[in-house]
């Protein structure tokens, strides 16, 4: 495995470290996400809720926007962590945002606090037929 290859256990550790910081007074669901960039940097984020509800941002997007802020251009793995028994896949908005910065083959791991990684899937499985930056470059 290369330095920038997927390291799901590193992502699990990073997500576990920040999950307590989730700001989720309305849903009560503490969600954390962690991603790895093609440079091997691990960046984590949590869901941040808002009294307007609509202003809420998911953990995945918090992590992605933090990574972009640090100069990340491409991610090559992402993990979502909750304490729910069943895996929590990224919501539709997050899938679209992940697609902006990742290939369809990008692994996505769904984990919980008790059992660790429950499922490994890919962005392409979660968001087939995606609309992305490619389309905007393909004007005929
Ligand atoms: N949430 C995430 O952080 N990631 C997801 O993929 C699904 C939902 C958050 C948003 C909200 O704070 C709470 O979970 C309930 O929807």
């Amino acid at each position: 495995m290369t330095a920038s290859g997927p390291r799901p256990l590193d992502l699990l550790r990073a997500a576990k470290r920040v999950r307590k910081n989730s700001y989720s007074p309305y849903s009560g669901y503490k969600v954390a996400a962690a991603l790895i960039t093609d440079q091997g940097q691990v960046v984590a984020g949590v869901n941040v809720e808002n009294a307007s509800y609509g202003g809420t941002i998911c953990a995945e997007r918090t992590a992605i926007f933090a990574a972009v802020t640090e100069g990340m251009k491409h991610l090559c793995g992402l993990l979502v962590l909750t304490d729910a028994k069943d895996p929590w896949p990224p919501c539709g908005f997050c899938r679209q945002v992940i697609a902006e910065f990742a290939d369809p083959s990008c692994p996505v791991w769904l984990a919980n606090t008790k059992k660790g990684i429950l499922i490994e899937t890919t962005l392409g499985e979660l968001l087939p037929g995606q609309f992305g930056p490619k389309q905007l470059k393909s004007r005929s």
Side-chain angles (χ1 to χ4, degrees), residues 4-82:
S4 60
R7 299 189 307 231
L9 293 181
D10 289 349
L11 299 189
L12 182 61
R13 192 177 322 117
K16 277 185 173 166
R17 186 179 67 78
V18 300
R19 201 181 72 91
K20 61 180 178 305
N21 300 328
S22 157
Y23 179 75
S24 40
Y26 307 110
S27 77
Y29 288 106
K30 288 184 177 294
V31 186
L35 61 83
I36 184 160
T37 73
D38 57 358
Q39 303 297 310
Q41 297 130 303
V42 172
V43 182
V46 294
N47 56 330
V48 182
E49 298 187 345
N50 188 271
S52 71
Y53 296 178
T56 294
I57 181 164
C58 295
E60 296 91 318
R61 276 173 289 155
T62 304
I64 289 170
F65 297 158
V68 170
T69 303
E70 293 300 325
M72 184 275 288
K73 302 234 168 26
H74 199 75
L75 70 95
C76 51
L78 181 134
L79 177 140
V80 186
L81 175 70
T82 71

Side-chain angles (χ1 to χ4, degrees), residues 92-108:
F93 293 115
C94 290
R95 293 176 196 204
Q96 182 67 28
V97 173
I98 297 165
E100 188 73 23
F101 299 105
D103 299 329
S105 61
C106 176
V108 177

